[in-house]
Amino acid sequence: MKTLLKIAGAVVLFGVICALCASWAPTGEGNGRWYSIIPPLLAITMAFLTRHVLLSLGTAVFVGGILSVVPQAPMDIHVWFKGVANVAMYIAETFGETGNLQLLAICPAIFSMIAIIVASGGFLGVINWLLRWVKGRKS
């Protein structure tokens, strides 16, 4: 029941923010579209609800790719397929860049080192070392 209430609250908040963005969005050719707020807002909301960051980010990328083309002709099935193709293109371009691959390659090593430091008590040692200078709330 508590989880259902949390999800319902998130859906309502998500809808309110989207409605406010749609109503306050400036009109004109040079301005961005109001629905550009949906992918990051969806990623943040899903990350808080599910506690799965990769799933949340993947869903946001998928929704962003769909929203890049679908609003122009939402009833045309070919536009939906083009949106899915955009998602695949965004992912391929991201993995195609050398700098991104280098960052992705080093992340597991960094996370492994952090896990080893925490498991061996090194993090607790640093905290205990820093506590020597703590005399009260302000310090």
Side-chain angles (χ1 to χ4, degrees):
M1 183 67 177
K2 186 177 180 181
T3 305
L4 186 61
L5 188 62
K6 187 167 64 168
I7 291 172
V11 168
V12 168
L13 182 64
F14 186 81
V16 167
I17 292 174
C18 287
L20 288 173
C21 289
S23 65
W24 291 343
T27 56
E29 286 297 317
N31 298 317
R33 304 290 181 229
W34 72 267
Y35 46 83
S36 63
I37 191 72
I38 291 176
L41 186 62
L42 181 66
I44 293 167
T45 305
M46 282 187 64
F48 278 121
L49 288 176
T50 64
R51 307 262 189 234
H52 296 287
V53 177
L54 292 179
L55 173 69
S56 304
L57 290 174
T59 304
V61 168
F62 184 78
V63 169
I66 296 292
L67 285 176
S68 67
V69 292
V70 168
Q72 288 84 15
M75 299 309 244
D76 186 8
I77 190 73
H78 299 293
V79 175
W80 284 87
F81 286 123
K82 186 177 178 187
V84 173
N86 277 356
V87 172
M89 181 188 63
Y90 295 152
I91 293 171
E93 285 177 1
T94 300
F95 284 112
E97 294 182 20
T98 309
N100 292 341
L101 289 176
Q102 290 171 342
L103 284 172
L104 289 173
I106 199 151
C107 282
I110 291 171
F111 291 139
S112 298
M113 287 302 294
I114 292 171
I116 290 170
I117 290 170
V118 169
S120 66
F123 187 69
L124 186 61
V126 170
I127 291 174
N128 289 334
W129 179 72
L130 289 173
L131 284 175
R132 291 189 292 180
W133 290 285
V134 176
K135 306 291 185 231
R137 286 186 175 202
K138 287 186 180 181
S139 61

